[in-house]
Amino acid sequence: MFDHQKYSQFKQVQLEDRIWPNRRITEAPTWCSVDLRDGNQALVNPMSVEKKTKMFKLLVQLGFKEIEIGFPSASQPDFDFTRKLIDDDLIPHDVTVQVLTQARKELIDRTYESLIGAKRAIVHLYNSTSAVQREQVFRISSDGILDIAKNGAKWVREASMKFPETEWIFQYSPESFTGTELNHAVTVCDAVVSEWKPEQGQKVIINLPATVEMSTPNIFADQIEYFCRHLAYRNAIIISLHTHNDRGCAVAAAELGVLAGADRIEGTLLGNGERTGNMDIVTMAMNLYSQGIDPNLDFSNIVKIIEVVEDCTEIKIAPRHPWAGELVYTAFSGSHQDAIRKSMQYHEENDQKIWNVAYLPIDPRDINRCYEAVVRINSQSGKGGVALVLERDFGIELPKWLHVSLAKVIQRAAEETGQEISSANIHALYEEYFIKVKQQWLLTDYNLKHRDKHVEAEFYINGVAVQCHGSGPLEALIQGLNKYFACSIEITQFDQHAIESGADSKAQACIELAVNGQHYSAVAIAEDTIAAAVQSVLTAFSRSFPERHRGAA
Ligand code: KIV
Ligand code: ZN
């Protein structure tokens, strides 16, 4: 059955002198949310009036000025919801509600009935115009389609005259526009528009739906530019787009459609809608935002938006959903983590005004997401990420050479569990392997006597006095250990610095020893530098015993 020859390529638009590819988007289009109509129609459980009210309030809060609230002539809950918004005075003065109707007189009359008392409303008329719908579904000619549209437009205008207290805006959609011959779409829309008389001041919106997304977005943009160039009254009309996501390009199509001349965009929050969904307004608006363009919508609390949308639609947002998904500000790969850390540091140190951080197209904090989510550790992470987690969450700074052995320990744990390793687990493993090593000797006290360039040392290890000498305390201890255990210990790496611990300052020593050629590292924190250094030697040496932990050097 999997046979591509069943399908044919979408025809290109003859438009050699297209201008849209050289244009740029410099401002946000007018947005119209269709969450409460198109989005709602596509739900297993359509929203109750309560849920619709919740969604409506969110849309208003986000800054939508045009909201399609339903299809009142086709659904009693939509009729009731429309009435509720008007009767309870829930529509802010700067927000215009929109309702959908088919081109049938009784449905148009019922639509106006639902809107009695509204200050302003968009009546959205549609009928299907594509060749497939004409020939296979309605079995009527192009002229038949034209008549349906013209009659619908006439009934919409006539019915509006019965309610002069409301400011009426008319909208027409040639449904299945993408499958309609362009000249036919222009003819139908011209006829509808001329019925509505925009030249006499009537506000008209022509909404061009990619009811089914059928081509690459560049062809859609060509369709829009062609349509805009050929439409009569172009300057008196608002051109709106309503893209669906069948090919996964609804946002791209809308963006290119704006370049091609559209003024207004219909879509839903996070893309709910028929089949693969409507165009996602969050994605398109955030795309603008990340280019320094004010989207005129406030997505500063994406967490709350997701909560309301998930509650109203009963559909979970995918973890990789652009801008909003749970994982989109998370880097799993070590090289990404390292780059993010360096880039963020650079950003802070240089007080950068324009955000330009590796792998993060926006600052997640702008939309109420946090840096804690930026780095997670799993078996694919590199050493930089692990060190970043310790530094970020526990203020532990380790020298670079120690990152390698730490990362090995964490990577092994991740491989064994096959899971992501939480920040708390990383910390626990770090302590277990590098600080609180089993079989450990603890330095309880020490005395040093300096004679010329020589030190006589007495270390109390687990309460037992051990005497040794050398050119410094560490050399003395190592000589003592070498002699006592008949082995060869060498310090291959050492790093020491002061750390803040409440009001006091302590010393942190990090060491790597070669014990009979094998490398072992450890970290110790103590009241003073000598105690920290001596303890780090004891801890690293402890790790060289057979009972010591498996694990990284
Ligand atoms: O997708 C579509 O064509 C529609 C119209 C009714 C605008 O939702
Ligand atoms: Zn639609």
Side-chain angles (χ1 to χ4, degrees), residues 156-171:
V156 163
R157 182 177 51 76
E158 285 171 358
S160 75
M161 282 148 66
K162 294 187 212 146
F163 307 99
E165 67 283 1
T166 300
E167 182 190 333
W168 297 111
I169 299 162
F170 299 150
Q171 172 166 325

Side-chain angles (χ1 to χ4, degrees), residues 431-445:
E431 290 216 319
E432 186 190 343
Y433 277 82
F434 295 94
I435 300 190
K436 296 173 186 162
V437 175
K438 270 193 216 155
Q439 304 279 326
Q440 180 163 310
W441 295 313
L442 286 177
L443 180 74
T444 38
D445 201 357

Side-chain angles (χ1 to χ4, degrees), residues 231-261:
L231 189 73
Y233 310 107
R234 168 64 189 99
N235 295 333
I237 294 167
I238 292 164
I239 296 291
S240 174
L241 304 180
H242 173 114
T243 54
H244 279 267
N245 201 34
D246 298 82
R247 297 168 52 94
C249 302
V251 169
E255 288 176 333
L256 300 197
V258 168
L259 295 178

